[in-house]
Amino acid sequence: MLSVSRLLDGTATPDDALRYGRHSSRLPSHLLQFSTDKKPVVVWNVTQRCNLDCIRCRLRPAAADYANELTTDEGRALLDDLAGFGVPTVLFSGGEPLLRDDLFDLVAHARARGLRCVLSTNGTRVDGDTARRIAAAGFVHVGVGFEWIEGVPAGASGSVGAYAAALGALRLMRDLGTRVGLSFTMHAGNIGQLPAVFDLLQEEGIGRCHIHHLACAGRGSAMQCLAQAPFETRRAVEYVFDRAEKFQMLGAGKEISTVDNAADGILLLQRVTRRQPAREREVRLMLVWHGGNQSGIAVSSIDPAGGVHVDPSSWNYHLGNIRTRPFSEIWTSNSDPRLVALRANPRPIKGRCSSCSFLGMCNGNLRARAEGYFADFLAPDPACYLTDAEIGVKPGTREERASAEWPVPVHGVA
């Protein structure tokens, strides 16, 4: 996750991180990405059940009960291990996590063990009573996922009225003082709705927004990935930067982040170098501290059956299962070849990435997307929209670049 607004407006600086010793146990949540010890934020997919059928979902949710989910007792034991290991944050996700009857019991247990808790929900299960329970649970952040903002295509979501329900959930939780934000995964079908996303933030007084890049995993692997249109992706990210800066000028205080494309950090650095040259050095330093993609390092995922993965998009590869070994033991293993590759410095990424001058800042980007596109875990990430000239390498093959021609951008992102 890249804190776009904080890096652009200077509200996150090297001095801020150094004040806390850059240690994950002491850093506030918005500075965790700059820690030195890089303890993993764990995305726990507590259930595979979901009441929606979103076409871009990086999982393959099930409508019926999933018999092999971790039990309440197993979940508590997992949370005990995560707390003892020093995990800074647990993100409760799914499927739709609110479909688990014991969710709030698990969150209470996590909070009692000192864990920061985040909730990711589609919002359609949030009524007044549930909103009050969420507010009382003590989540540090609740993200509500929106698939579409306007003009929902037929068959695009598994529930008629999902947008209205999600918006209602945002309003209920906002009015109760919950730190709530909007999550939006952009892809070829909805990229033109980015202006509506930011307009909604302004109109509804929502303070946070995460713009996700499509991972092309799970159900989303069948979609036309924006990785096939680098110019379109780049224009979209520039638009995100534009709106973040506009919020700053208006004094709106919005926290805008992008997720799952480390090229965004290099593009942001270029922008700062052009527009705020005096800040170039500090932004560059923070991006180096951030380290780009953190799969297998500062982010992990646990599936409903207890399987441990290097990130939330890599369910095809298992590191182990918490039913047979504690997470802390699995995560500290030095024998798994994928973990070894992810933690190498530099990572042994192939193609144009191998000679990219920003490899240390990007870390090869999202491996799940590279693997899904090229069937090679160490291939270049096709979603990198930076040109060969920008990253200091000789022009590569069409396969390495993912797209030799940049198409006309989708209407709506100007």
Side-chain angles (χ1 to χ4, degrees):
M1 180 183 297
L2 181 73
S3 298
V4 168
S5 53
R6 290 184 181 275
L7 288 174
L8 285 176
D9 66 17
T11 54
T13 69
D15 286 345
D16 294 329
L18 290 169
R19 189 176 303 118
Y20 297 95
R22 292 183 59 206
H23 197 279
S24 60
S25 66
R26 297 191 292 272
L27 284 166
S29 57
H30 71 277
L31 294 174
L32 276 174
Q33 59 198 296
F34 308 116
S35 66
T36 55
D37 54 325
K38 299 290 186 185
K39 287 294 181 73
V41 169
V42 174
V43 179
W44 180 15
N45 299 89
V46 296
T47 183
Q48 201 157 337
R49 291 170 289 162
C50 190
N51 56 316
L52 298 184
D53 189 27
C54 300
I55 60 174
R56 54 83 192 161
C57 187
R58 61 191 175 192
L59 309 182
R60 298 188 184 277
D65 287 351
Y66 183 62
N68 202 31
E69 289 176 359
L70 295 177
T71 66
T72 303
D73 286 343
E74 287 173 325
R76 289 182 181 132
L78 167 63
L79 294 167
D80 289 342
D81 179 53
L82 298 181
F85 184 53
V87 165
T89 303
V90 177
L91 191 156
F92 292 83
S93 186
E96 172 47 55
L98 290 171
L99 291 173
R100 266 196 80 132
D101 293 337
D102 61 352
L103 175 68
F104 290 102
D105 292 334
L106 292 168
V107 173
H109 188 84
R111 293 273 295 144
R113 292 305 312 272
L115 289 164
R116 293 186 182 104
C117 296
V118 174
L119 177 66
S120 177
T121 174
N122 61 39
T124 62
R125 307 284 297 185
V126 179
D127 56 16
D129 180 62
T130 303
R132 286 186 287 273
R133 295 186 72 187
I134 289 172
F139 290 104
V140 297
H141 174 68
V142 177
V144 180
F146 283 73
E147 186 75 1
W148 313 92
I149 303 298
E150 55 188 19
V152 181
S157 179
S159 174
V160 175
Y163 165 74
L167 180 56
L170 270 180
R171 289 169 172 169
L172 284 168
M173 291 185 286
R174 174 204 64 196
D175 292 348
L176 288 168
T178 301
R179 197 165 182 239
V180 67
L182 186 156
S183 295
F184 183 79
T185 299
M186 60 182 182
H187 52 73
N190 69 4
I191 189 173
Q193 297 194 7
L194 271 178
V197 169
F198 287 98
D199 290 347
L200 186 65
L201 290 178
Q202 183 66 29
E203 293 163 3
E204 296 293 334
I206 303 301
R208 304 185 81 187
C209 180
H210 298 323
I211 302 295
H212 295 252
H213 291 259
L214 185 66
C216 299
R219 183 173 293 142
S221 62
M223 296 181 63
Q224 178 189 355
C225 185
L226 277 179
Q228 299 171 13
F231 183 73
E232 191 173 359
T233 308
R234 184 179 186 130
R235 282 182 62 90
V237 176
E238 289 278 16
Y239 181 80
V240 172
F241 294 170
D242 289 343
R243 292 300 297 262
E245 289 182 334
K246 186 174 182 180
F247 283 140
Q248 175 196 355
M249 289 187 291
L250 293 173
K254 308 293 184 186
E255 293 185 31
I256 311 299
S257 301
T258 62
V259 184
D260 282 341
N261 197 329
D264 296 351
I266 288 86
L267 191 66
L268 185 145
L269 179 62
Q270 292 176 348
R271 188 185 189 95
V272 169
T273 301
R274 291 193 311 270
R275 301 186 179 190
Q276 307 174 61
R279 296 191 57 242
E280 186 271 344
R281 184 176 180 180
E282 71 172 33
V283 172
R284 180 182 292 273
L285 178 59
M286 297 199 78
L287 289 170
V288 170
W289 286 355
H290 180 280
N293 176 266
Q294 294 295 294
S295 300
I297 303 170
V299 63
S300 178
S301 177
I302 300 173
D303 67 39
V308 178
H309 310 273
V310 299
D311 62 45
S313 301
S314 299
W315 277 22
N316 64 309
Y317 188 89
H318 285 70
L319 299 173
N321 193 292
I322 64 103
R323 282 174 164 148
T324 55
R325 281 197 300 162
F327 173 89
S328 55
E329 183 179 323
I330 294 170
W331 199 250
T332 52
S333 169
N334 293 318
S335 60
D336 185 274
R338 188 157 295 203
L339 279 182
V340 170
L342 287 171
R343 294 170 182 174
N345 186 20
R347 285 178 175 173
I349 311 300
K350 302 174 183 176
R352 68 196 293 257
C353 291
S354 64
S355 53
C356 172
S357 59
F358 294 104
L359 179 58
M361 194 180 291
C362 164
N363 218 12
N365 224 334
L366 186 63
R367 299 292 83 223
R369 192 161 45 222
E371 188 171 26
Y373 194 85
F374 291 116
D376 183 351
F377 169 69
L378 295 175
D381 185 341
C384 178
Y385 47 76
L386 300 168
T387 67
D388 293 329
E390 285 177 300
I391 65 175
V393 302
K394 295 179 180 179
T397 65
R398 181 179 177 85
E399 288 74 25
E400 288 173 340
R401 296 191 60 192
S403 177
E405 296 83 26
W406 287 354
V408 175
V410 170
H411 175 70
V413 178

